[in-house]
Every structure is written in C-alpha cells, then in structure tokens.
Amino acid sequence: MSFDYLVVGSGLFGSTFAYEATKKGKRVKVIEKRAHIGGNIYTENIAGINVHKYGAHIFHTNDKEIWDYINQFAEFNRYTNSPIANFRGEIYNLPFNMNTFHKLWGVTTPEEAKAKIEEQRKEANIENPTNLEEQAISLVGIDIYEKLIKGYTEKQWGRKASELPAFIIKRLPVRFTYDNNYFNDRYQGIPIGGYTQIIEKMLSSEKIEVEVNKDFFANKAEYLKDYPRIVYTGMIDQFFDYQFGQLEYRSLQFETSVLEQENYQGNAVVNYTDAKIPYTRIIEHKHFEFGNQPKTVITREYPKTWEMGDEPYYPMNDTRNNEIFRQYAKLAEEQPHIIFGGRLGMYKYYDMHQVIAAALSAAKKELN
Ligand code: FDA
C-alpha cells in the first residue's frame, strides 16, 4: 500500500497525528525503534499491575477539550497525585502545605505557618541570591530547604545546590491549606487499564501500518525518498547529523522489582529527599489504580547524566543547548515537508496534555 505520511515514533505526538490524519482519509506508516508502541507513556502489565515503564505518568489538564479528547480512548479514574517525601525516615506531605508545616514545626494555623517561614527568611537575610541554594532559602527558609529540597535537587541535577544557577527555582509553590493535591488542574486521573490501550486505539485504523523495531536512521535516505511527507518525533540533532553539536539531556535509570507483598509503601509516589539515598523516588504502581493484587511492583528512579545511547528523558534547556537547538530549528524550517514534533523533535519538556495539544495543532495546520 502507498502512504501519504511516514510517522517516525509511536509516542503520544506521533500517534495523535496519525489518528487525526486517518480521520481525513490519509494513509499513514508508523515506524518505531523500540519493540513496542507508546513511547514514554507505555505501560506494561506485570503481575496484573499496570507498570509505568518510563516513569510515573499522571494525566492532568485545565483544558476541557484535551480532557474530552483523551477520554475517547480510555476511561479515567479519580486518582489525585499526592506524593510524600521521606527524609531520613520522617514523612512529609507534598506539595508544601499545612500538613507539611504542621509536621515540621507543630504549627496549626496558616498565620503561624506564614510567620515561621517569614522568620526563617529574615534570619537567612539573603537579598540577591547567587545560586539555587540561596534562592530556595530566601523563598521558603532553611528547614524546608534542608529537609525537602537540597538532597532531591542535588541528586536530580548531579551537582551541588550551591553550584546550580538560581533561575532553576523561580518560585516555590507554598500552600496554606491542608491540601495534598499536587496539581492545581481541574482534570486529573489515570486511565483504567493503563496508557498503552490509548495508543493502540489511536493506531488501530486499517489506514495505519505500524512497524516496531524499525529505526529511521537505519534507512534514512530511502525513507526521505519514498515518503512525500514525514512527521519526525526523534531527536532533532540526530536528524541533522549533529552538525551543530549534541543537545544535552538528563537521563534516568529505573530499577523495577516484583515484591511478594500486597502493599510496600502505601502511596504511589514517595520522594527520597536525603542526598545519601542514591535514588530520587520509589513508585509503587498499583496505587495509581487503587489495585488490590496479592503482589506489588515498585520502581526506584535514579537520575543519570545522559550519554549517547541512554534514553534522553529531560531536555536541558540552558543557554548553550537552546542556542544549538535554535540552529537546528532553523534548518527544520527549510524542510516544510517534514514536521518536527514532540519532546525530542522540539527539544522541549512537554506534559502529556501539552504534547496532545501540539500534535492537534500540527495536524490542523497540515491537514485542513
Ligand atoms: P516519546 O518519547 O514518548 O515518543 C517518541 C517515540 O519516538 C519513542 O517511542 C521513540 O522510541 C521513537 N523514536 C525516537 N527516535 C526514533 C527513530 N530514530 N526511529 C524510530 N522511532 C524513534 N507527562 C504528564 O503529563 N504527566 C506525568 O506525570 C509525566 N511524567 C513523566 C515522567 C517522566 C520520567 C518523563 C520523562 C516524562 C513524563 N511526562 C509526564 C511527559 C510525557 O512522557 C510526554 O509528554 C510524552 O511521552 C511525550 O510524547 P512524545 O511523542 O513527544 O515522545
């Protein structure tokens, strides 16, 4: 069969585009270099539990259109993300709210909590913060910084907080209510049965042909010759042979174990905020869907400096990388038959609702 589009990558961007294209009668070939579809939202069933293979994914948005759109493909539950922090065995609620402040200082009213933070900010007496450590202390005081920010941030970035730039933390959300809901968005949830079914449904049309274990770069010249239009969701610097240099990422390493017990930590997400613990968090996947299976599956998440061959998870949008990206983006503009999309094609951290919005907007522009 001949195709109107080649979509490189079966993540949320590529799959949303492919789905929209078939609604306009287009035929789409999707190639995916991994052994499965779904990109980073892929969930895998282990011991009856939907395991978020590439990190915890909680869908949240304020946009009703995007919420309705994703609900076409799965029923969502009422999961509310309420992570907790473990600092040397002490448990604190996140995001920073009245429960956190009560545990830290024994305060019970918003007024007392505000006074305590203000007292610590004054004591620190930092007027012009020159690094992340000073910035965080000047915003929330020493206690929250030392117990809940310092270790986690240093593990995440692989550098001392006093050596990180202040701009990384522009503001720190502090909430003076007893509310542990991490997100402020109106809509939030987890697809009952996992995320993979969403991508399966998006790609289920007979006008779509999917091939996994197919790397675009194994046959780049032929793909470019054979397909009139291409949607490319891989790394933009790789597409252009790294001619302006490599873009940098932060990577992660996941260590997943199946445990012969029903409930390991009582919460889906526990952050470990002490620098001495090498992982940043433990995910217990069953709690995303309120599971009551006899076993449980947990994943330890270790931040890692990205090296060629590692999964590129988080773009490092600092001045150097943004400047390199700008040069690639200029080259991309000169190739109007290729749409560069998604978190790797745009070198931008996108949440799921944002990547769907970006794909819908690209599809609208291209197909109308
Ligand atoms: P994605 O990376 O998913 O897809 C790209 C696909 O292209 C991949 O399958 C890749 O294998 C394939 N590919 C690349 N190069 C190729 C090549 N040369 N040939 C063939 N195929 C190729 N969002 C949110 O809303 N809530 C959350 O809780 C989280 N949590 C979260 C945790 C972690 C650890 C990360 C890293 C990210 C999140 N996200 C998130 C963000 C979410 O993962 C993101 O929005 C989408 O997965 C992005 O979809 P894309 O299609 O852009 O990329």
Side-chain angles (χ1 to χ4, degrees):
M1 145 158 95
S2 72
F3 296 96
D4 301 296
Y5 286 94
L6 172 71
V7 170
V8 180
S10 63
L12 199 49
F13 189 98
S15 302
T16 303
F17 186 93
Y19 177 76
E20 290 299 315
T22 58
K23 288 207 298 200
K24 299 277 179 191
K26 306 292 184 198
R27 294 174 186 279
V28 185
K29 169 87 179 190
V30 178
I31 57 166
E32 168 55 59
K33 73 173 177 186
R34 293 180 187 166
H36 59 76
I37 57 170
N40 284 351
I41 70 169
Y42 174 73
T43 45
E44 180 176 46
N45 194 294
I46 302 177
I49 297 161
N50 294 309
V51 172
H52 297 204
K53 182 114 187 255
Y54 302 93
H57 278 75
I58 299 124
F59 200 97
H60 59 97
T61 181
N62 257 327
D63 187 332
K64 180 152 184 349
E65 254 175 64
I66 299 291
W67 181 243
D68 290 343
Y69 188 83
I70 197 74
N71 273 269
Q72 296 174 75
F73 305 104
E75 186 187 342
F76 277 68
N77 70 15
R78 53 163 188 82
Y79 179 82
T80 299
N81 192 30
S82 322
I84 57 175
N86 182 323
F87 177 76
R88 300 182 186 166
E90 294 169 13
I91 296 293
Y92 294 93
N93 286 108
L94 299 172
F96 311 136
N97 71 74
M98 285 304 297
N99 290 308
T100 329
F101 308 143
H102 176 67
K103 179 75 188 271
L104 274 168
W105 306 308
V107 295
T108 54
T109 66
E111 207 174 312
E112 287 168 350
K114 281 182 190 164
K116 191 77 192 169
I117 290 176
E118 200 41 45
E119 176 195 309
Q120 294 208 346
R121 295 180 55 208
K122 276 210 180 111
E123 238 168 67
N125 194 21
I126 299 167
E127 265 180 31
N128 293 310
T130 58
N131 56 52
L132 187 146
E133 176 166 287
E134 291 179 2
Q135 172 79 335
I137 295 172
S138 75
L139 288 169
V140 290
I142 192 79
D143 287 347
I144 298 178
Y145 170 69
E146 287 203 328
K147 290 191 170 184
L148 302 174
I149 298 173
K150 184 176 192 291
Y152 193 87
T153 309
E154 292 185 343
K155 286 189 279 191
Q156 243 186 343
W157 291 94
R159 273 161 71 188
K160 288 216 168 317
S162 55
E163 290 162 13
L164 285 165
F167 75 80
I168 293 180
I169 296 187
K170 289 199 182 82
R171 47 179 216 102
L172 282 166
V174 185
R175 196 181 275 171
F176 294 97
T177 50
Y178 287 92
D179 178 5
N180 297 325
N181 179 359
Y182 195 79
F183 297 116
N184 291 317
D185 289 344
R186 180 182 293 231
Y187 308 102
Q188 176 172 187
I190 300 281
I192 300 165
Y195 284 93
T196 308
Q197 60 176 324
I198 293 176
I199 301 293
E200 280 167 357
K201 283 186 198 152
M202 285 177 162
L203 300 179
S204 66
S205 162
E206 56 187 23
K207 295 195 183 76
I208 298 179
E209 191 176 288
V210 182
E211 246 184 294
V212 293
N213 293 314
K214 274 274 169 232
D215 190 330
F216 175 75
F217 294 101
N219 263 315
K220 182 179 172 188
E222 266 178 40
Y223 286 128
L224 290 175
K225 186 161 65 66
D226 292 348
Y227 290 88
R229 301 194 78 77
I230 296 178
V231 174
Y232 175 82
T233 70
M235 287 158 52
I236 190 167
D237 55 351
Q238 187 178 13
F239 187 93
F240 293 113
D241 298 323
Y242 305 105
Q243 57 185 281
F244 303 122
Q246 268 180 32
L247 292 166
E248 292 170 302
Y249 298 84
R250 284 297 288 168
S251 193
L252 295 169
Q253 209 174 319
F254 297 109
E255 187 186 277
T256 296
S257 333
V258 181
L259 305 180
E260 301 292 326
Q261 67 186 87
E262 208 188 309
N263 188 357
Y264 174 73
Q265 63 186 14
N267 205 38
V269 183
V270 180
N271 290 2
Y272 282 79
T273 57
D274 183 3
K276 288 204 187 77
I277 307 263
Y279 41 88
T280 43
R281 41 187 201 169
I282 299 183
I283 306 303
E284 188 169 12
H285 302 268
K286 71 191 311 179
H287 297 307
F288 287 125
E289 294 184 58
F290 315 109
N292 53 13
Q293 299 85 349
K295 294 184 188 178
T296 195
V297 182
I298 61 164
T299 301
R300 291 189 167 80
E301 205 172 293
Y302 298 82
K304 188 177 180 302
T305 302
W306 181 80
E307 288 159 31
M308 202 59 138
D310 288 341
E311 280 298 337
Y313 284 107
Y314 298 107
M316 302 254 293
N317 291 101
D318 59 14
T319 316
R320 174 195 171 268
N321 287 304
N322 285 343
E323 176 51 31
I324 294 176
F325 172 69
R326 206 186 51 75
Q327 297 179 63
Y328 288 124
K330 197 153 172 277
L331 276 192
E333 271 172 29
E334 290 161 17
Q335 322 226 5
H337 63 295
I338 302 177
I339 296 172
F340 291 83
R343 63 187 189 97
L344 300 174
M346 298 298 291
Y347 193 63
K348 183 171 181 324
Y349 179 83
Y350 275 121
D351 268 330
M352 289 179 279
H353 60 288
Q354 296 165 320
V355 97
I356 292 173
L360 288 177
S361 150
K364 198 168 167 197
K365 199 164 150 214
E366 172 73 15
L367 299 160
N368 280 342

